[in-house]
Amino acid sequence: MTELTIRPITGAGELPLFNSLPYVLNDEIDADLAAGRRRLPWLWVALRGDRVVARAAWWALPGDGRPQLMDIFDIAEDVEDGVRLLAAALPVMAPDGAAPPESVRFVPPDWRDNPRTRQVVDNHMAALERTGAKLFVERLRMNWLPGTPIPEPTGRLTFRPVFGANKPAGANKPAGANKPTRANKPAGANKPAGADELIDLMTLALEGSLDAHSRDELTRMTARESAVAQYHDELERYTSPHDWWQIATLPDGEPVGFVIPARNSYNPIIAYLGVVPAHRGKGYIDEILAAGTRLLAGQDVPRIRAATDVGNVPMAKAFARAGYVTFERQIDMVWQ
């Protein structure tokens, strides 16, 4: 058997070589490189002769010094090729003994029912597990398409922008269709008016959260620390208008929840939605989601993307009621 060669690609001229294995993100790589979301040394291949038998790539927000995700990892046939690629690449991509960035894989919604697709996913997960990774969560990725009915407001809730009419200065635009965007960016001290109220509501909404990433964070930090980190590391970095963000209130002004419609570097998205515990179980989630969907639909968008954990059944059902259709699933694996 031809000896295995493992290395990053040598330059942009090798992108066709890297893309010789099919995957849904191949068409995004050129734009990601141009925008600084990827770097050529972050694109690795395992070669037998001139044939790619495994590959991996990492992704980050523009300006971040280290990658946040390994969002491409493909094996042509032999799991061992993938294991050897990871064994060579991970110490480089996560130096100084740091845990490697989370692995994310997009798969068809029925991947378990198709023998070929299941084998691909099983090989992917098996190679990761042999390097110490474990399944963290499986998520639903959903689309809302123009023409899908949006429920009319019932009058039970009133919506107001978090920041009134003013858009706060945006930082780097997050990239990825609902990819996790928790960077290692320190929380900033300066927040526009309205941020504190939103962070307060985010803190309340974390009580009883069914989101795996949030639940994991709450084992290491307080709910407010988690909310502050998400605000600074994710929400304030959207450069779509921040006056799209809406707080839902009762007619007397009491806050019930919030919705964060946004646009990342790939799609319009429902970035975050929450209902505070005191007002759960009253159907408000449907009205809040409808408000966020209506706002984005009014921008003449080609689609709206959203995602939630498979285990977050109430949120998944709310998206389904609102006409969002699952088009993919996402498998997240982590190294402890």
Side-chain angles (χ1 to χ4, degrees), residues 96-238:
D96 305 322
E102 185 170 327
S103 168
V104 171
R105 178 77 179 181
F106 300 143
V107 299
D110 60 348
W111 68 270
R112 289 181 174 84
D113 300 326
N114 183 306
R116 172 57 185 161
T117 303
R118 179 151 194 165
Q119 188 63 58
V120 169
V121 176
D122 286 348
N123 287 350
H124 170 91
M125 296 178 69
L128 289 164
E129 287 168 351
R130 285 179 55 184
T131 66
K134 296 181 179 180
L135 177 64
F136 183 73
V137 69
E138 185 169 340
R139 291 171 60 77
L140 305 173
R141 303 187 73 226
M142 293 165 284
N143 256 347
W144 180 94
L145 297 177
T148 304
I150 303 173
E152 293 296 323
T154 66
R156 295 199 306 164
L157 296 178
T158 299
F159 292 87
R160 57 177 170 81
V162 171
F163 301 109
N166 298 319
K167 173 186 174 183
N172 292 324
K173 192 177 196 177
N178 292 319
K179 292 177 180 174
T181 53
R182 300 294 179 88
N184 293 318
K185 176 185 174 186
N190 298 319
K191 297 189 293 295
D196 284 330
E197 181 184 20
L198 177 60
I199 290 171
D200 287 344
L201 293 174
M202 291 167 63
T203 301
L204 290 172
L206 283 168
E207 180 181 326
S209 174
L210 298 176
D211 178 82
H213 287 89
S214 294
R215 291 166 68 94
D216 179 65
E217 284 191 352
L218 293 176
T219 67
R220 303 188 305 275
M221 61 184 74
T222 67
R224 184 164 185 85
E225 288 170 340
S226 176
V228 168
Q230 185 170 10
Y231 179 85
H232 288 295
D233 296 347
E234 178 183 354
L235 302 186
E236 74 173 355
R237 301 180 77 170
Y238 289 113

Side-chain angles (χ1 to χ4, degrees), residues 21-106:
L21 294 183
Y23 186 50
V24 294
L25 297 183
N26 281 4
D27 290 342
E28 298 177 359
I29 292 176
D30 277 326
D32 285 346
L33 286 167
R37 296 184 289 266
R38 300 189 193 274
R39 302 176 189 177
L40 291 170
W42 293 0
L43 277 62
W44 285 66
V45 290
L47 301 163
R48 291 197 185 277
D50 59 359
R51 176 173 173 258
V52 177
V53 295
R55 66 170 186 166
W58 284 261
W59 174 95
L61 292 175
D64 285 349
R66 292 189 177 185
Q68 290 185 32
L69 300 170
M70 184 179 76
D71 63 343
I72 297 176
F73 175 51
D74 293 298
I75 304 167
E77 294 173 1
D78 190 345
V79 171
E80 184 64 28
D81 293 336
V83 173
R84 292 178 62 184
L85 170 61
L86 292 176
L90 289 179
V92 178
M93 301 306 299
D96 305 322
E102 185 170 327
S103 168
V104 171
R105 178 77 179 181
F106 300 143

Side-chain angles (χ1 to χ4, degrees), residues 299-324:
Q299 310 302 314
D300 195 28
V301 298
R303 73 189 66 83
I304 301 171
R305 290 275 170 90
T308 194
D309 292 358
V310 169
N312 193 344
V313 175
M315 192 70 251
K317 288 183 175 180
F319 279 119
R321 289 192 298 269
Y324 287 74

